[in-house]
Amino acid sequence: MAIDVTERSNLEAQLRQSQKMESVGQLASGIAHDFNNLLTVISGHAGMLLAERPASPKAADSLKEIAEAAKRASDLTRQLMTFSRKQELHLQVADLNEVVNNVGKMLRRILGEDIALTVDFAPACLRSRRTWGCWNRF
């Protein structure tokens, strides 16, 4: 008498894979939480330095970039934590011209003064619904 255990073996493999994925999700959530705590410190210090009115406009611009980058990174870690808890992500409406403008600012700082970046914006306000973290992946 022979018993086919193929289905049982497949189900056990699926269960092990599911348990591994659950562990990865918990690990990712823990790391994201710790990383978000570090970003809070960075953002707080950038805000305090901005409140002291930096001596040069360039320093103020750099501090604003640090604060904005920390905010975007915090939004991404929040999205990761939400995903690991299997909660719904909330959609937000964003003006695509504003998104492109923000990316342009970041690129200009990266490219430096020797390279000119020209951006043509849409004449009308273009809007799209996406999760907030989606806008910050550029």
Side-chain angles (χ1 to χ4, degrees):
M1 173 178 198
I3 299 174
D4 186 6
V5 294
T6 304
E7 184 177 350
R8 181 183 174 114
S9 294
N10 288 341
L11 289 173
E12 287 174 352
Q14 287 177 0
L15 176 62
R16 282 191 299 276
Q17 183 64 25
S18 175
Q19 290 170 335
K20 286 179 192 176
M21 294 304 293
E22 180 71 24
S23 295
V24 168
Q26 289 176 354
L27 177 63
S29 179
I31 291 170
H33 181 74
D34 291 344
F35 189 67
N36 202 43
N37 289 341
L38 295 170
L39 291 168
T40 300
V41 172
I42 293 168
S43 181
H45 282 279
M48 288 188 313
L49 289 171
L50 273 169
E52 292 177 8
R53 298 192 180 132
S56 74
K58 191 169 185 172
D61 288 344
S62 292
L63 286 169
K64 288 175 187 174
E65 288 291 327
I66 291 169
E68 186 58 34
K71 181 186 178 310
R72 287 192 308 266
S74 180
D75 290 341
L76 288 173
T77 56
R78 192 174 303 109
Q79 187 179 19
L80 182 59
M81 288 187 292
T82 300
F83 176 76
S84 68
R85 289 190 299 258
K86 298 181 179 85
Q87 294 178 352
E88 263 186 60
L89 296 175
H90 300 285
L91 297 179
Q92 294 179 344
V93 176
D95 177 2
L96 295 180
N97 281 336
E98 182 181 336
V99 172
V100 170
N101 186 43
N102 290 338
V103 171
K105 287 178 186 176
M106 179 186 66
L107 288 174
R108 282 185 187 92
R109 293 191 65 80
I110 293 170
L111 295 173
E113 296 175 6
D114 297 336
I115 300 174
L117 175 68
T118 304
V119 179
D120 291 328
F121 295 101
C125 181
L126 299 175
R127 297 193 175 273
S128 183
R129 288 175 49 106
R130 299 281 188 261
T131 60
W132 182 249
C134 177
W135 299 121
N136 294 317
R137 291 188 184 133
F138 299 105

